[in-house]
Amino acid sequence: MSTLKAVRGTRDLLPPETELWNHVEATARRVFARYNFGEIRTPVFEETSLFARGVGEETDIVSKEMYTWEDRERFDVQGLINAWTNVQVTERGHVLESAIPKMLQAVEKFGVRLILGRRNPEKPEFVAFGSKVTREAVEGLTNAKKELRTSNVFRYSPDADYLRRFGPGLRLVVPAGLPTEDIALGEVIVEEFPGHFNKSVQSLTLRPENTAGVVRAYIEHKLGETGLLQKLYYIGPQFRRERPQKGRYRQFWQIGAEAIGPPSAGSESPLRDAEVLEMLAAFLDELGIEGWRLEINSVGSATDRARYVAALREALAPVKHRMCEDNQRRAETNPLRVLDSKDENDQEIINGLPKIADYLDEDSKAHFAAVLAVLDKCGVKYEVNPRLVRGLDYYTRTTFEFTHGGLGAQNALLGGGRYDGLSEALGGPKAPGIGFAMGEDRLILTLQAQQEQAAALADAFIAPLSAELNPAALELARELRRAGLRIELGDGSFRLKKSFEIGNKLARKIVLLGEDEVKSDILTVKDFASGEQVKVARGVLAHALHATSK
Ligand code: HAM
């Protein structure tokens, strides 16, 4: 028997790794609570139309990546049999009830559930029950009749002779009102039977993201009527049928938050955008993620964007035939997506396309400038990326991504932005909002890489500044190693630049050992991560290195 494995793109999280997941989640809860966010838990599946209307029909997520199914109440075959049999007995005549259990067992062999009935004793029938008229059911019935003559399953039936003599008819009973497959029925009679054996059919989807679900809940529970800003965070799995690779899964985890409310609650204010970004910077720092970058842009109001998309279409029309197939398609269906194409050959064309900044109206420009001003004031570093438009249709004005170089192709740690019209698009009241979602899997990957790197690094790299100082360098190394430190020793023949390069790869700190240092017993120590350089007396050097070793 083949062994069962987790489905492609999904995985198990096991101890001790789950400890790291719990740590990340606990840090998120702690930091978000300081900003007065409360937790919301929405269902893992929703009606498909929520995502079609919220995220946008033309987006990759909705058009290609969702796990969607028709959800219907299970077909109740026994209910249909009981109801039908009852009617036959009470209204129309006579059913060979004694034969039913035996027949039910016997006909499994033919692939359809059959019982034997007859409206009147002169016309016996094979009767099959199904949720709909399918090819298999019709074939099964026809085969059942063929096999009747040769089979001995009816040997003990009191009616065997009787049946052989008459040759029963074939009847397929299905609940009324269901679509029928267009197939040849041959001699099979179809009877549609009234009754609710198969209830409402709904299209459902495993959530590919959670902003639409949160806004649906905001509308459903009339949270806007409180008049207050709703600050909600969530932690949970999301599902997208993407091609799996490092940092990209089909079931992945997001930690996200949304600040949404009526305009009177200040939900439109640039201060909200900046506060959310500052919270993210605080969270990543508290978690110890090093080297993140914040890229930010404004995609303007819905009307700004419509004008921009028209300009993009126009600019793409004469050049798109020179672009890759994907971009040719995007140029038609969703020109904004061309901007985040990574295709090398198309970059020149893309760089020459109109910039959204030139299509923003005065209000959007002022809003963006105000967001940046608050960030400057609180010292949150960012880069404006005019090509950052993001892959979901609901965004307006501020959009952003935090990236990390260590992640490779899937370098977005998190993404988010403002969605001032989403509530109205879902039939709710005016409720501007801003939020983000972090890829928890990617946070974990980044932390693991950092931990591995840290574990592999020596506490210090000793760099003698000339060959004559080599003996003194080994003496110092011996001293520090005896104190239990992990020390890498350079060589006096290395140029200073080379010592720094090697030291940076192998150790957390570099200790410079020149003539002055030897004479004064005061050493120069530089920390590679912080860039900080300090003088340390030799007598306390081991202690100082221990204090900062991880
Ligand atoms: P998103 O950019 O589609 O935005 O996803 C946010 C983050 O989820 C990404 O930056 C990435 O870290 C992670 N992510 C996405 N797809 C995958 C995947 N297949 N495997 C692993 N990680 C993945 C949203 O989902 C918006 N709802 C964010 C938002 C909230 N905007 C406003 N509020």
Side-chain angles (χ1 to χ4, degrees), residues 93-104:
H94 175 71
V95 173
L96 288 181
E97 287 197 65
S98 62
I100 289 174
K102 207 174 279 164
M103 296 303 148
L104 273 177

Side-chain angles (χ1 to χ4, degrees), residues 206-275:
L206 287 181
R207 63 183 182 193
E209 63 98 56
N210 212 19
T211 309
V214 169
V215 176
R216 191 234 352 104
Y218 173 91
I219 299 168
E220 187 171 332
H221 302 289
K222 300 189 169 57
L223 300 182
E225 288 179 9
T226 59
L228 300 172
L229 194 67
Q230 301 296 309
K231 296 163 87 177
L232 304 164
Y233 79 85
Y234 49 84
I235 300 177
Q238 316 291 330
F239 307 85
R240 296 185 194 174
R241 198 172 189 290
E242 297 191 86
R243 198 166 49 77
Q245 65 181 83
K246 181 185 166 203
R248 189 160 75 188
Y249 310 97
R250 290 182 168 178
Q251 172 171 338
F252 59 99
W253 289 71
Q254 280 188 343
I255 303 180
E258 315 291 348
I260 176 173
S264 59
S267 56
E268 256 169 324
S269 166
L271 184 59
R272 293 277 82 87
D273 307 38
E275 189 187 24

